[in-house]
Amino acid sequence: MECNMDNKNSQLHASSINYPSHFWAQAAKSIDWYSAWDQVLDDSEAPFYHWFKGGMMNTCFNAVDRHVLAGRGEQIAIDYVSPVTDTEYGITYAELQAQVSRLAGYMDAIGVKKGDRVVIYMPMVPETAFAMLACARIGAIHSVVFGGFAANELATRIDDAKPKLILSASCGVEPSGVVAYKPLLDSALEQATHRVEHCLILNRSQLEAPLQAGRDVDWQTGVATAANIDCVPLAATDPLYILYTSGTTGQPKGVVRDNGGHSVALAWSMKHIYDINAGDSFWAASDVGWVVGHSYIVYGPLLVGATTLMYEGKPIGTPDPGAFWRIIAQYKVKSFFTAPTAIRAIKRDDPNGKYLEGVDLTGLKNVFLAGERCDPDTLHWVEGKLQKPIIDHWWQTETGWPVAANLMGYAPVAVKAGSPALAVPGYQIEVVDMMGEQVAANESGNVVIKLPLPPGTLTTLWQNEQRYIDSYLSMYPGYYLSGDAGYKDDDGYLYIMSRIDDIINVAGHRLSTGRFEEVLCQHEAVAEAAVIGVEDALKGQVPLGLVVLKKGVNTTEQELNEQLMALVRKEIGPVASFRLVSAVQKLPKTRSGKILRGTMRNIADNKKYNMPATIEDPATLDIIRNTLTRMGYADAQVKVS
Ligand code: COA
Ligand code: AMP
């Protein structure tokens, strides 16, 4: 147990751990059920736990219909703000119900049934939320794929999820211009081995997409004649969605979320963490393709009857670094959520806060940051400029909602720079050494969570229970391995410092270095590749690739680098932000052939490192240091300790 927490928090946390069934049964009262559960927590198949087994409910009913029935039909459910298309409008709960039930009717008419998968590859438009909710309405399992991923990544997810239907759009709109989505979808469907019968395409006015007869249907035409469909009662344990996230290999992990536990946990978090209740305005400036978008653009705010703001734009350049502040003021946003990288971008473009002048932010109560560690400089800058509580909180695609946070709607505790504060009720966080022994306060170790995880967290990986166990549960039996390393201080505050695997975090986006390496090795000139994440002032980390060329390759460095960057962009997508690559004669390896990525990362980031005892050829580190220095990363002065 946390020892030095504030008393009210520590009592709440203790009750969630000591009496989980009672705690979550109380929380479940915020959700409408068709019939109650037989058991709050079923641990008979541990380490697979089932929350609210036997209970029947529907997530869409809880997020939409019940608010209309309760008389909130005229309240705005979604405020849509798209500076890149110069569009702003609100959608009431009644309108949302009409849109979602008709789209569900279309799905039903083409034969999409409970348990079928539906892939959603769409930009930040309200139709993306309609699509998710329509799936939830009929029990189809959605899988949203982020628009910044390339065709090949989409194909991998299509082959894993095997959808009956794909919902997509003609284009997304980025500051750099219109991004055609339909050719990416067509190419993904060609690459995938799974055959998709139906595609519903939203044609946006910025770019019309040609439709393929027999497979593609225009969105408006498809829903025009569809019947309104009611919510289908589902088991709390039925899957709601699959969300793919980067693992250490090129094959993404399909995180599975259930219906009942998810609704209960998100509703609890909206109130206790984000201090958001019915009628409040909440804005998570993320993308629906990420877990933040799933939980806190779509489901969380709607489950509690709040107004959610959906934003198609960037923190800067659309049109300027004042965009966030003006929108918060205009839409009376009470709690705002973004990533530290967005704050760093604003700080870079408006260091003195000129764009805050004259903007009335009195309605804004809290700013939440997540997606990557919030470095103290960024925290202090934004605290100073906004004069509001800035709340770092830590979570992952897998957990679906915060693991460590400051409960701003319950009993806020002091903010400590660099820390996401305390374990959230339901999560028993421990910091352990390689043997699984808890380390002392202020000592670093692997951050693990004692099983069972609370409601709303992943139930398994899609059709791959073994990978779920191998990835998360086998290293420390009885515990979930978060993949993050950090420490707790004397007051029990958690500090998340780095990943323990080959995942990197680029502008709050989680990417696998293994996937980058696979792609680089596809190039005919490349014999071997290593990719590491190096520190970046704006994006937190960026990928840096080092390649060993095949013998006899005849190409200039510039030519090769351009080809490799283009290849990564084509295969992974623009979101990879891959701009740093160099050829080297040899990579540093252990005698058993393992590439020493951690050592290279320390050299690049100017951190002290130990000469690995098992290194095959110590001279390779000099090669790497010289290359990284030439690329502007390593400082030749840093010594081996
Ligand atoms: N569809 C298509 N392309 C997309 C896309 C989408 N949904 N999202 C991003 N891209 C493209 C961008 O256009 C850009 O392409 P470019 O190389 O042609 O310019 C590339 O992917 C990288 O985009 P991004 O990561 O947004 O970087 P940026 O340099 O354009 O902007 C920031 C930098 C910091 C402003 C931006 O990363 C940002 O707003 N970050 C916030 C992150 C966030 O919300 N994370 C979610 C976790 S909470
Ligand atoms: P994702 O699954 O994309 O949400 O990425 C989750 C990972 O991002 C975590 O495992 C951490 O490595 C990192 N992360 C997210 N939020 C924080 C935070 N507040 N502090 C430190 N790291 C974070």
Side-chain angles (χ1 to χ4, degrees), residues 121-124 146-149 171-177 179 181 184 284-287 290-293 313-316 324 337-346 348 369-372 395 505-510 538-539 569 573-579:
Y121 182 62
M122 297 198 41
M124 286 292 286
F146 175 60
F149 280 127
C171 65
V173 185
E174 286 292 302
S176 52
V179 180
Y181 276 33
L184 299 173
S286 178
D287 189 289
W290 307 115
V291 70
V292 177
K314 301 272 171 176
I316 51 168
F324 278 5
F337 180 163
T338 189
T341 187
I343 301 294
R344 288 196 296 269
I346 295 171
R348 187 191 62 182
L369 299 176
E372 55 176 317
W395 52 296
N505 197 317
V506 181
H509 309 321
R510 171 169 159 180
L538 175 65
K539 299 198 173 189
R569 195 178 176 88
V575 69
S577 297
F578 187 67
R579 297 195 175 85

Side-chain angles (χ1 to χ4, degrees), residues 371-373 392-397 484 496 499 505 510:
E372 55 176 317
R373 176 168 186 262
D392 184 8
H393 59 325
W394 170 64
W395 52 296
Q396 316 177 300
T397 304
D484 285 318
I496 297 290
R499 290 288 305 186
N505 197 317
R510 171 169 159 180

Side-chain angles (χ1 to χ4, degrees), residues 270-287:
M270 288 310 299
K271 187 174 167 51
H272 292 82
I273 298 176
Y274 299 105
D275 193 20
I276 290 292
N277 295 292
D280 288 339
S281 180
F282 182 77
W283 179 15
S286 178
D287 189 289

